[in-house]
Amino acid sequence: MKIREIITLLLLVLTSTLLLGQNSSSTSINNTILFRITNPHSTKTSYLFGTHHAFGKTFFDSLTNANIALESCDLLIKENLNIPGKMAEDIINLRNTKTKWKKYLSKTDLSFIKVLFATSPTDYNKMTPTEMYVFLNRYFKQKVCLNKSANDTSLSLDDYISTKAVEKNIERYGLETTKEQINLINKDVEGMPRKIHRRRLANIIDKIRSKDSSYCEETDWYSNMEIDYQLNAPCRNTLVLTDRNNKWIKPINDFLEKKNCFIAVGLSHLMYKCGLINQLKELGYTITPIEIK
């Protein structure tokens, strides 16, 4: 994937980085990322699909039942829609403020960033340290963990699903705007000391340089679907998970009553007590795990 596409989608990684504590259960719900949504008072059949934003075309094309489910739906609901002129790249480039990277990066690391962004249309000087970390974390997962080549221009899993929906003339709906997501990732670490930003950036750059795949547990267990949804555990981040899930459930419920929907959001939004699986059950829906392949 080119840097331009990664920048456009850098916001989406924030939820996938929260998934911890896997492999503690072996029930059937933990071996899939696809769920059927039904209601005894409705003829509509919808689906809930937990994404990992670093994956893409090859992964989704291998999931036979997920593709069948998507094609059976009238509406795709995802976290956000990439609207030309309102994407992350556009929002960042319109800023007047620039980051003094010498305060956050060593001379060697700054040289690395300059080379990395040499052909990018995004002005990295206008990115915040948090946005840079999110981008680099995503870059590491794609290039090192998933071994995507520099010439791989494939979209993220979420946006590839979106292109499939367009091909099938399936309507699309975004639960929030890209601007809202940018504000969210910055607010989530508001007040973080500069030394912590420096340490985080230095660590992720070192992982990229060393190509150390020992830090790829997250992509490994997602690929193998070794997932513990921890449905009885409290949510770990109010701002990123609880608040967003509570905001999303209203429009999701409204659409489920009228259309056959395919809901594709970061996997962590399905997890924990505040997750969409539990919230949909509380509204009277039946959530059925589906074998993914």
Side-chain angles (χ1 to χ4, degrees):
M1 178 180 286
K2 294 180 180 178
I3 286 180
R4 178 169 188 168
E5 281 79 12
I6 301 176
I7 284 290
T8 300
L9 301 166
L10 68 90
L11 287 305
L12 301 176
V13 77
L14 64 97
T15 54
S16 65
T17 60
L18 299 171
L19 302 175
L20 303 169
Q22 307 304 323
N23 301 322
S24 64
S25 178
S26 60
T27 58
S28 61
I29 191 175
N30 298 324
N31 300 319
T32 187
I33 52 176
L34 178 66
F35 301 85
R36 182 184 296 110
I37 306 170
T38 54
N39 189 314
H41 305 295
S42 172
T43 59
K44 303 298 182 184
T45 300
S46 295
Y47 298 89
L48 182 62
F49 182 83
T51 66
H52 188 303
H53 311 302
F55 286 73
K57 179 182 186 301
T58 301
F59 178 76
F60 192 75
D61 283 350
S62 72
L63 308 180
T64 305
N65 287 339
N67 280 271
I68 293 172
L70 175 62
E71 292 180 17
S72 72
C73 291
D74 313 306
L75 175 68
L76 167 65
I77 300 174
K78 59 195 297 282
E79 291 185 30
N80 79 323
L81 300 180
N82 286 317
I83 301 172
K86 296 182 180 181
M87 296 190 291
E89 171 190 309
D90 305 306
I91 295 167
I92 291 169
N93 287 342
L94 284 173
R95 293 172 179 164
N96 294 318
T97 305
K98 292 187 176 182
T99 297
K100 297 179 180 179
W101 286 113
K102 291 182 179 179
K103 294 183 177 181
Y104 296 94
L105 298 170
S106 68
K107 186 177 293 186
T108 302
D109 288 348
L110 182 53
S111 296
F112 174 84
I113 293 299
K114 288 178 179 178
V115 172
L116 194 61
F117 281 83
T119 60
S120 172
T122 302
D123 186 350
Y124 73 89
N125 288 300
K126 295 184 178 181
M127 295 172 69
T128 67
T130 300
E131 292 161 2
M132 179 61 76
Y133 175 77
V134 169
F135 163 75
L136 292 173
N137 193 44
R138 171 72 166 275
Y139 186 86
F140 169 76
K141 290 172 184 174
Q142 291 183 322
K143 301 303 180 183
V144 179
C145 299
L146 299 179
N147 199 31
K148 289 188 176 182
S149 70
N151 296 322
D152 188 340
T153 60
S154 59
L155 298 170
S156 75
L157 180 54
D158 304 71
D159 278 10
Y160 178 64
I161 293 172
S162 186
T163 63
K164 295 273 288 187
V166 172
E167 290 173 2
K168 302 296 181 180
N169 294 316
I170 298 170
E171 184 183 355
R172 298 174 300 153
Y173 177 82
L175 292 163
E176 57 196 13
T177 67
T178 300
K179 186 175 182 179
E180 287 173 330
Q181 291 187 326
I182 289 178
N183 291 338
L184 182 68
I185 66 167
N186 285 296
K187 186 177 181 180
D188 190 43
V189 296
E190 196 171 42
M192 179 181 284
R194 185 189 305 165
K195 64 180 181 180
I196 304 299
H197 282 294
R198 284 183 61 92
R199 188 182 308 150
R200 293 204 313 166
L201 290 169
N203 286 342
I204 191 61
I205 290 173
D206 183 62
K207 289 177 183 177
I208 294 171
R209 280 207 195 95
S210 65
K211 298 181 180 180
D212 189 349
S213 60
S214 65
Y215 293 97
C216 295
E217 298 96 336
E218 184 184 305
T219 50
D220 288 343
W221 63 249
Y222 182 83
S223 179
N224 295 325
M225 299 188 195
E226 300 167 345
I227 302 162
D228 181 2
Y229 283 90
Q230 303 177 67
L231 298 180
N232 295 318
C235 273
R236 302 180 178 187
N237 187 312
T238 299
L239 182 67
V240 172
L241 290 181
T242 308
D243 290 352
R244 293 169 84 200
N245 289 352
N246 291 344
K247 177 183 175 183
W248 293 353
I249 195 64
K250 173 67 166 62
I252 287 175
N253 184 44
D254 289 344
F255 281 123
L256 289 176
E257 293 178 348
K258 304 169 187 175
K259 296 177 180 290
N260 299 312
C261 304
F262 190 93
I263 306 163
V265 295
L267 185 64
S268 56
H269 290 286
L270 280 58
M271 299 171 65
Y272 312 118
K273 283 184 178 180
C274 75
L276 296 180
I277 288 177
N278 277 335
Q279 294 213 33
L280 288 169
K281 286 181 178 179
E282 289 173 2
L283 290 172
Y285 293 98
T286 299
I287 309 299
T288 308
I290 298 178
E291 185 177 353
I292 197 63
K293 293 187 178 181

